[in-house]
Structures are given as structure tokens and as C-alpha cells.
Amino acid sequence: MAKLAQGARYRGSIHDFPDFDPSQDAETLYNAMKGFGSDKEAILELITSRSNRQRQEICQNYKSLYGKDLIADLKYELTGKFERLIVGLMRPPAYSDAKEIKDAISGIGTDEKCLIEILASRTNEQIHQLVAAYKDAYERDLEADVIGDTSGHFQKMLVVLLQGTREEDDVVSEDLVQQDVQDLYEAGELKWGTDEAQFIYILGNRSKQHLRLVFDEYLKTTGKSIEASIRGELSGDFEKLMLAVVKCVRSTPEYFAERLFKAMKGLGTRDNTLIRIMVSRSELDILDIREIFRTKYEKSLYSMIKNDTSGEYKKTLLKLCGGDDDAAGKFFPEAAQVAYQMWELSAVARVEVKGTVHPAGDFNPDTDAKALRKAMKGLGTDEDTIIDIITHRSNAQRQQIRQTFKSHFGRDLMADLKSELSGDLARLILGLMMPPAHYDAKQLKKAMEGAGTDEKVLIEILATRTNAEIRAINEAYKEDYHKSLEDDLSSDTSGLFKRILISLATGNREEGGEDRDRVREDAQVAAEILEIADTPSGDKSSLETRFMMILCTRSYQHLRRVFQEFVKMTNYDVEHTIKKGMSGDVRDVFVAIVQSVKNKPLFFADKLYKSMKGAGTEEKTLTRIMVSRSEIDLLNIRREFIEKYDKSLHQAIEGDTSGHFLKALLALCGGKD
């Protein structure tokens, strides 16, 4: 079993088997492989219920009893992924890592992801054992082999990591933290080009505790996360390696939770990654990985493995996983602490929101109006000029252009654009030309027009706008449609959903900080309505009204504390619990409010991703979000998008749209990340 630091709790899923008898186990395995066929069930049951140390004893006894190599016999009897998994479990951890790295650099091509995963995540002691195991197993020098198979800054950082000399002292010097922040900033953001050596030295050698403080201070000092700077300054495998190091410094279990999720999401499974992580972490931190996986992805690691694999391979992986955490949104206790900390960060974070579209310098509405008129005159239309002007002016500047266009030419710019453009491009450009409140009012009106209602649009807009934005929308709606927004919502929706939307549409959310006296009381109401309180009180209708009032009128800062208190009080996450305990539009609007409170840019990043994933594109959703967030927080949305989906918003748009619509969207996006 893995060696524990003094006072540390064991966080693996595999334990020493009580009353262990290596000779008897060796005999059981021999009998399971004797004769025609093999008893795979007996093999997996035995091997997954013994610790790695005990498996090594079984190997020795098998050799003594039968004069045969157990691993060689297992390789002969088993096949495919199941064989790779069982054989991986039979090797000592350092030899298992050595084999993975040898495979990664053998033959044509290199598996850089494997090199990154192992070398970025191992402790000094694990690195030293790996280097020794590699020498013993292959009679070759690992550093020399890595140098022979890689190049550039990627190679240099791998070599630094292979030394296993990261500082381990938890006593941190504030002066050195400040110096490292300044050195990283000067090596990247402030420099023409990048001084990669500084990034390598600091990220490759400083202790994890020191680096966590450096990352926090870097964000405060520069307004950018260290991850954003790395993406902006580095590239290729070197960039991926440095990001992996940062993730492992922040939380090694979270890094592996993310790797496991990506190994199983979408079509096909990256079985080598899945096997490598489940084998290597089963006696280290798989319980921590499970907790974070459940918190982050709203499903258990167990259920994802179960749905994504099959046969004895699946059974073995589930044994290594050690349990299913998918109990209707409930955390097991340690995971509740992770969730509590996530809400703590959310409650104290002060993130500066930034758009991607800014007022143009040297703005001249007269020149722009003339250029637009020229672009639309005569045969054909100059879409490139229209896109260039309109996507590089703020909305206030666009309104000036409209007025100037009318004064100069006696024509309505919007009408001319409508007549000259078509399809998705027309919808996007005309949306940009409308004042934001009138644009939102139009989206709401369209969502309620005709047969059926587009509840998703109503939820997206009303659950995410500020009081000032909601009030402006109400005025614009009245001006444009000669009806009140509230009246139309009343006639087009019903029940509790209608009451929630009308409450949101009043724009009366409190705007102060948290009210400490009310936090616990509000969390108790949430626990009662979601039916997980110890002592429910009050009738259902009264509780519904109180819960609605809390979510629709309390300030964001107060709600963050309520959601945090909810975790502490119940061991449940409020978002998961709403999803499990409610249904339909009421569930969707409450979830949207919670997600918006927690991280509004992430809410929009998720919606953008979903609008482009799979077959077909939801162009209307894509357009609506890009138009409405371009001057508010689209830069923040971009950062959340790449952090969660491992590709930039720019890349997603590029892969999913085309023509002039694509050009206009990329101009709004404002960068590649």
C-alpha cells in the first residue's frame, strides 16, 4: 500500500487484504489459468482485492511454486484492454510508470500526453523511483531517452521535472513570492516574445505551497490568471505541459478528475489514459479524485465508467473505483468540504468583467456612415467592410452612425442593412445595431410570439440581467410593443414558472452584501423546499413562495453564502439538488439563477458550447450571446470556455460556422486564446 505522510489519511480505494496468504493466492491464480480457457472473474476478483505490495509477494510465490512468471502467464491468458489493466496492476508503481513512458517514446511518434501526465504529476520520491525502475527494466537512462525523443522548451521542462528536485519546504517567503510574480510577468506579458527559461525555472523548482501563493498574487497583480498568461505566451506541447504543472500544483486530484472525464466523454474511450490513471491512483488519491469528479461533472466516476466500458474490463475498473457517489446529488462528507471551498472562493472572488468590443479610437461617425453607404450602393454588397466597421465600434458609436447615416442620406441604416444582408449574418449585424435593451426586448418578444413559447430564451435573459438592465428592457419593451413585458409574460406562461419570471422581470434584486442573520434562515428554507431538511416545517405553497423570493430578490453575494451554508447544513449541493428534485421550466430557471450567481461567464460559456456541439448549430443562441455579451463579459466567457472545454471559443466558432457569419463572429470573439 502507498506510504503515507505522518498524520495523513489514506485516500486510496485498494487496501491490504486481511489474512493474506500469498501461496494460496498464487495457487488460486494458477488454477484460474490452467486448462482450456481462464477464469477471468476469479483473476480480477483476487487481484483487485490485494494491495500492490501483496501482489508482488504473490508474484514471488508463483515463481517459487510453479517456476513460471505470473505476469507472462497473465499476458498469455488474457487479451486486450483487460489484459493491459490486470498486468498494469501487477507491476510495482514505479515500473508501471516506467513501462508507460517507454511505450510513449518507442517506435514512430511520441505520446506527449502520457509524458506530460506522468512527469507533471509525480512527487520527487516517485520521480526518483521511476528513474531507477527505468534503468533497471530497460538498462537505459530515462533522461537520455527523453532528450532523444523530444525537443525545444518542452524537452527542457521535462528534463527539469526528471531531476525530482522540487522544493518541499512549506515555509514561504512573501518577498520571494512577489519576486517570482514580477519575474513571470516580465518574462511574458511585459516582454516582446517570451523568456521561457523563467517559466521553466519557477514552475519546475518551487514548492507547491509557494506556487499557489504565486498564482494568487499573479492574478491580483496582473488581472490575469497564470493559465491565461501561459496560453497567451507559450504554445504546443510546452504550453500543455506547463498548464498540467499548474493544474497539479493547484490540485493533483482535480487534474486527474479532468483527465478521466476527457478520457470517457464523447464518442470512443481513451482506454490507455483510463487504465493508466486508475492503476496509478488506486492506492494514492482515487477517493479525492472521485469527490472532485462528482462535484465538477455532476455525475459519479463510477457511473461514467459503468456507462462507457464493458465486460471484465468494466468490472475491474469499478473495483478500482471503489464505490458509487451518485446518491441524488449528495456529497459524501469530504466532497461536501470541496464544494464548500468552491463556494467560499466564489463568495470572495472579485473578478473584473471585460468585454471584447471597445469604443474605436479616432471615431468618426461621418466617415463610417459614408463607408457603409458605399458598401451597400450599386450591384452587390461589400460584406467585409460592413463587418469590419460594425464589429469594431461600441454600441454607443453604432447609434451615432445610425443618426449620421439618416442625416446624410435620409435613409434608415437598419432598413438598408436588412435589405442588403441575409440569413445568420443579417441577424447578427442587425442585432449589433440595436441598443442592448431593445435587442433583449426583441428576443423576449420573439420568444413569446406565435404558437409555443421559447422558455429557454426567457430564462437565459431574465435570470442573468442586472437590475439596471432589466429596467431598461422593460422601458424598451413598452416603447417598441406598446405593452408591458409583465402583461405578455402573464399571458404566455403559467403557474410557478410565471411567478418566477415576473419576479425576475421587476428588477428588484437586492444589491448589497450578504445579510449574515438571514443566510442560515434562507439555507433552511432551501433545504425544506428541496425536501432534505431534518425538520421540515410550513406548507408547500408558502415554502415555494419563500424559495422563489430568496432566489429572485437576494443579492448575488448573499446567495453565494446561502448556497455555501446549504452545503454545510445538508452535505448536498443546491444546484444538483434542484436538478434531482424539480422538473420542467421551474427547475431550469432555478438552475440558471444558481449558475449565474456562481459564475455568470461560465453559464454563458456552457450555453455557447452546447449551441455548437454535435450535429448542427443553434445559430440563434450563438448570435444572441455573442451580441449581448460582447461589451460586457465576453473576454471572461472566452477564458471559462477554454478552461472547461480545452479548446478556445475562437476554435469552436471556426469549426462550426462559415462565410461572412464566421468572420463577424470571430471579430466579436476578439482573440484566439
Side-chain angles (χ1 to χ4, degrees), residues 328 496-497 500 525-532 540 543-549 551 566 573-594:
L496 181 57
F497 182 56
I500 296 164
V525 170
E528 289 177 21
I529 192 66
L530 296 169
E531 299 180 348
I532 52 172
K540 182 88 172 174
L543 282 171
E544 275 182 356
T545 302
R546 289 176 69 193
F547 188 57
M548 180 189 81
M549 187 186 74
L551 287 185
F566 184 90
D573 174 79
V574 72
E575 182 184 335
H576 298 165
T577 312
I578 289 169
K579 284 177 178 174
K580 295 278 186 182
M582 294 183 164
S583 61
D585 298 326
V586 171
R587 175 197 61 202
D588 293 345
V589 70
F590 281 154
V591 167
I593 293 168
V594 172

Side-chain angles (χ1 to χ4, degrees), residues 618-649:
E618 293 174 24
E619 288 87 356
K620 288 181 182 176
T621 303
L622 179 55
T623 298
R624 189 174 57 250
I625 296 173
M626 295 296 286
V627 168
S628 64
R629 310 314 295 181
S630 58
E631 290 185 57
I632 299 174
D633 55 1
L634 190 52
L635 187 63
N636 306 78
I637 292 167
R638 266 172 42 188
R639 288 172 183 168
E640 296 293 346
F641 194 99
I642 196 168
E643 190 66 35
K644 182 162 182 181
Y645 298 110
D646 237 20
K647 67 172 169 182
S648 69
L649 178 57

Side-chain angles (χ1 to χ4, degrees), residues 1 5 36 97 124 147 188 208 381 393 399 507 526 555 585 632:
M1 204 155 54
F36 186 73
D97 278 352
N124 287 346
I147 288 171
K208 286 190 170 187
T381 306
R393 305 294 182 268
Q399 302 318 309
S555 73
D585 298 326
I632 299 174

